[in-house]
Amino acid sequence: MSAQVDAASEGDVTASAEASLFRPFQLGSMTLRNRLVMAPMTRCFSPGGIPGPNVAAYYGRRAAGGVGLIVTEGTAVPHAAACNDPNVPHFHGEAALAGWSHVVREVHAAGGKIVPQLWHVGLVRRPAVDNLHEPSDNRAVAVSPSGMISPTEQAAREMTEREIEQVIEAFATAAASSERLGFDGAEIHGAHGYLVDQFFWAPTNRRIDRYGGDAARRGRFAAELVQACRRVVRKDFPIILRISQFKQQDYSAKMASTPKELEQLLAPVVAAGVDAFHCSQRRFWEPEFPGSDLNLAGWVKKLFGLPAITVGSVGLDGEFVSSLLAGASCRMTRVDRLLVMLERGDFDLVALGRALLVDPSWPVKIQRGAFDELSAYDSAVLKSLI
């Protein structure tokens, strides 16, 4: 299905997109050719945790299609309980890291930049992954701030401070590996109800020590992760933190109910040396707090002045969750509203997910105004994300 476009204004939209989306951007040592980012999307196409040539080809095609920065799917840091699926790629071990080295070469050869998303799922796990037991059977212990998987469900005990230190060490090891392999930066997954976000979110963080309580203390774990990663990479190696208000456990959840609480929560992370925030929403155009039309990325940039990435149903007429239903499809839409927000400085970079799944050449088509060539998104594409 082709996009529905008002032909009378196509030229204006194309010119605006050229001026806004296709300007270079500097993030630490990264010079991005445009403002478009490939969002991280879990694929489970790496048997045994090892990304193969198909994974390199998948990212290489998107780089060749013109996207400026690629954030990989979530990759498991070197901690025994980090992963929730045997086919999710690891970011540790000789074979997995060799696979990622191949990915980096493919993306760079196509003119793109790439960062890995470093991930620990905490208590968000699939029952089929049978490694969540106590050390008596020599398998991994599930970890989370307070053992809470949701506001009402407790599934494990509270992490000890030594376990917190071990997870922080795992992220730092992964960050050092990302620089060594030639990645252009690293992103920490702090969104969507996974481990880092479980510390941010008060209902899953009921600790009474320095890692829990008020907003600033709930931000301490993420801050220590960033600080540990910063210590093992060069000064200009970009570290990005992905955040979200919503959780997969609760789409209406908020880690911060007001701009002031958001500022208190993230200020420790900023002080620790994070370079940018990747702000995930289900719909990028929705205001985050009453009294302002700023979205989450807009508020983060306003509060801290750091580069911000927005994401959430960009380029599509349907939001993420509904598009996962069997037989669901979304039309491609123009990006008029996005351009207005970008041009006024609400955020600096724009991440796309499903649009790039079905159309790796989305960036170059938008740049030349070929709106009628954009592919529609259909849920059937989830069966073949190659």
Side-chain angles (χ1 to χ4, degrees):
M1 185 185 301
S2 64
Q4 296 182 346
V5 179
D6 177 2
S9 60
E10 269 190 21
D12 292 340
V13 175
T14 302
S16 183
E18 176 70 27
S20 301
L21 285 174
F22 295 94
R23 290 175 294 150
F25 186 75
Q26 192 72 32
L27 179 57
S29 57
M30 274 197 292
T31 302
L32 303 179
R33 57 186 170 184
N34 58 46
R35 305 303 180 98
L36 294 171
V37 178
M38 180 176 179
M41 291 173 281
T42 300
R43 302 174 65 239
C44 302
F45 278 11
S46 298
I50 300 171
N54 61 316
V55 176
Y58 166 80
Y59 288 115
R61 280 195 293 275
R62 274 73 193 176
V67 71
L69 172 64
I70 291 171
V71 183
T72 74
E73 62 209 278
T75 69
V77 298
H79 183 267
C83 195
N84 70 350
D85 189 290
N87 297 310
V88 162
H90 295 168
F91 209 76
H92 58 89
E94 184 177 351
L97 294 179
W100 283 118
S101 182
H102 184 197
V103 172
V104 171
R105 292 194 299 272
E106 288 280 323
V107 170
H108 286 170
K113 303 290 186 182
I114 184 168
V115 302
Q117 186 184 70
L118 308 179
W119 190 27
H120 194 302
V121 301
L123 282 179
V124 180
R125 307 186 62 101
R126 299 184 180 182
V129 182
D130 188 22
N131 66 345
L132 296 175
H133 302 274
E134 293 299 321
S136 59
D137 62 5
N138 297 316
R139 288 180 288 186
V141 178
V143 294
S144 79
S146 305
M148 305 297 297
I149 193 170
S150 73
T152 59
E153 181 183 356
Q154 185 160 11
R157 59 172 172 76
E158 181 176 287
M159 289 174 75
T160 66
E161 290 210 10
R162 177 55 187 149
E163 287 169 335
I164 289 174
E165 292 170 1
Q166 289 169 341
V167 171
I168 290 171
E169 290 167 5
F171 273 89
T173 298
S177 294
S178 65
E179 183 180 23
R180 178 170 54 82
L181 293 175
F183 280 91
D184 301 290
E187 176 173 288
I188 295 169
H189 195 342
H192 304 162
Y194 294 110
L195 181 62
V196 178
D197 199 19
Q198 289 166 18
F199 276 88
F200 280 144
W201 193 28
T204 52
N205 184 352
R206 301 182 181 181
R207 301 179 70 95
I208 58 173
D209 62 3
R210 62 197 180 104
Y211 292 103
D214 64 20
R217 288 197 292 272
R218 298 199 312 273
R220 183 187 294 271
F221 177 70
E224 291 187 4
L225 281 183
V226 169
Q227 192 173 50
C229 292
R230 174 58 63 211
R231 282 197 296 264
V232 297
V233 297
R234 66 181 186 273
K235 185 177 180 180
D236 63 350
F237 189 76
I239 297 175
I240 304 165
L241 178 67
R242 197 177 207 211
I243 61 170
S244 70
Q245 292 271 44
F246 79 93
K247 323 298 174 194
Q248 58 188 290
Q249 303 96 314
D250 182 354
Y251 290 129
S252 65
K254 287 185 177 291
M255 63 178 184
S257 298
T258 65
K260 182 175 179 59
E261 187 179 15
L262 184 67
E263 183 176 20
Q264 292 170 338
L265 189 71
L266 297 180
V269 182
V270 174
V274 78
D275 293 289
F277 287 98
H278 187 174
C279 304
S280 177
Q281 292 183 253
R282 292 171 66 190
R283 307 169 184 89
F284 78 87
W285 57 87
E286 291 185 340
E288 191 51 57
F289 300 112
S292 169
D293 64 352
L294 290 174
N295 70 0
L296 182 59
W299 271 108
V300 168
K301 186 173 182 185
K302 178 178 180 178
L303 290 170
F304 300 109
L306 290 177
I309 307 169
T310 196
V311 66
S313 304
V314 173
L316 299 171
D317 69 350
E319 62 90 29
F320 171 69
V321 175
S322 62
S323 73
L324 297 179
L325 300 175
S329 65
C330 301
R331 294 192 314 273
M332 289 290 177
T333 61
R334 286 208 328 249
V335 290
D336 308 56
R337 187 167 186 177
L338 177 76
L339 295 176
V340 169
M341 297 169 74
L342 180 62
E343 288 168 359
R344 74 182 186 184
D346 288 11
F347 38 77
D348 304 282
L349 299 166
V350 176
L352 305 115
R354 292 163 294 157
L356 283 173
L357 285 183
V358 296
D359 200 337
S361 297
W362 194 94
V364 296
K365 291 178 181 179
I366 290 291
Q367 188 169 21
R368 59 187 174 86
F371 300 101
D372 59 349
E373 296 180 17
L374 296 172
S375 303
Y377 174 87
D378 190 288
S379 60
V381 77
L382 295 175
K383 299 177 181 177
S384 56
L385 306 184
I386 303 298

